[in-house]
Amino acid sequence: MNILIVEDQKSLALEVNEFLSHEGFTVEHARTKRSAEEKIFVNNYDFILLDLGLPDGDGFELLQTLKGIKNRDDAVIILTARGEVDDRIKGLEHGADDYLAKPFSLNELLARIHAITRRKHKLESNEIAIKGFKVNIQNRTIYYESERINLTNKEFEIFNYLVLNKNRVISRTNLTEHVWGDILEVNSDSNFVDVHVKNLRKKLSQFAPLDWFETVRSIGYRINI
């Protein structure tokens, strides 16, 4: 999943970035409100980790801007030294999904990301079953029955994102944003998404038919279940 860290404290941002990158997430960083706004207007994110005390504005203002954009479903976790109850309430009332006061445990942050993902996609556990395949969003593993399937990180992210958004057509652009990050840094005219999907299908089809893994012509892909 694609995560934007909005944090002006360089050491903390680097620590969170390294931890989440190691966990398989695609991570971007903005240290100012203006930089974050520029990224948000170009890209969609699965999660935004938002500091309230930014050098050029208040994080609450950025949260209000984000929630004012139509058809956005970025989950927001506020990360701030402000531990007062009023600030926590204000953040949640403005649309934040969760709140962590600094200093915080990176493992707790990860657990909250997984919890929000389950809630957002109406999952009862970290495991999703589909046509004999089992995807574990926490352990980043895929099995067919009892046999583990070896996928690259990008192949896993593609399949995981399509499964989480089952029965919805996901465009190539949308896949690019959520799997590779900043779309301005990617050559959107290339066929690299199709190549990764082709390799993914080849690996999965060794275990079972994939009539439910649909290519929507000129648009993208859909998992039908």
Side-chain angles (χ1 to χ4, degrees), residues 108-126:
E108 181 180 0
L109 170 62
L110 181 62
R112 292 188 183 224
I113 288 174
H114 288 312
I116 292 171
T117 299
R118 291 194 302 270
R119 185 167 69 244
K120 182 178 178 180
H121 295 282
K122 299 179 174 61
L123 304 176
E124 295 182 358
S125 70
N126 288 315

Side-chain angles (χ1 to χ4, degrees), residues 18-176:
E18 290 181 346
F19 175 78
L20 293 177
S21 295
H22 183 265
E23 293 295 325
F25 296 96
T26 298
V27 184
E28 298 176 40
H29 174 226
R31 65 172 301 274
T32 65
K33 177 174 173 283
R34 179 178 179 179
S35 175
E37 286 175 337
E38 291 173 351
K39 289 181 176 294
I40 286 170
F41 282 122
V42 173
N43 302 300
N44 288 290
Y45 297 93
D46 296 287
F47 283 88
I48 295 176
L49 310 182
L50 176 61
D51 180 30
L52 293 182
L54 300 172
D56 59 342
D58 196 296
F60 285 129
E61 298 173 359
L62 184 61
L63 180 60
Q64 287 180 296
T65 298
L66 175 67
K67 295 303 177 180
I69 304 174
K70 292 183 178 180
N71 301 319
R72 293 293 295 245
D73 61 354
D74 319 54
V76 178
I77 300 178
I78 291 177
L79 309 177
T80 180
R82 302 181 188 179
E84 291 83 359
V85 173
D86 287 347
D87 276 334
R88 294 201 298 270
I89 292 173
K90 183 177 179 181
L92 295 172
E93 286 183 340
H94 279 70
D97 297 88
D98 208 341
Y99 193 110
L100 273 175
K102 302 175 185 176
F104 54 85
S105 161
L106 292 174
N107 285 324
E108 181 180 0
L109 170 62
L110 181 62
R112 292 188 183 224
I113 288 174
H114 288 312
I116 292 171
T117 299
R118 291 194 302 270
R119 185 167 69 244
K120 182 178 178 180
H121 295 282
K122 299 179 174 61
L123 304 176
E124 295 182 358
S125 70
N126 288 315
E127 190 172 86
I128 308 170
I130 172 172
K131 304 292 185 178
F133 295 91
K134 292 181 180 178
V135 182
N136 191 300
I137 62 175
Q138 180 172 343
N139 298 332
R140 295 176 57 80
T141 56
I142 296 179
Y143 284 81
Y144 182 76
E145 296 180 346
S146 61
E147 186 171 353
R148 182 169 178 172
I149 304 173
N150 292 318
L151 301 180
T152 67
N153 286 334
K154 296 306 182 187
E155 289 166 356
F156 175 86
E157 288 296 339
I158 289 171
F159 192 55
N160 181 53
Y161 188 66
L162 290 173
V163 169
L164 285 174
N165 293 278
K166 60 184 183 297
N167 300 317
R168 289 176 53 196
V169 177
I170 303 299
S171 69
R172 289 174 176 83
T173 299
N174 197 242
L175 266 181
T176 301

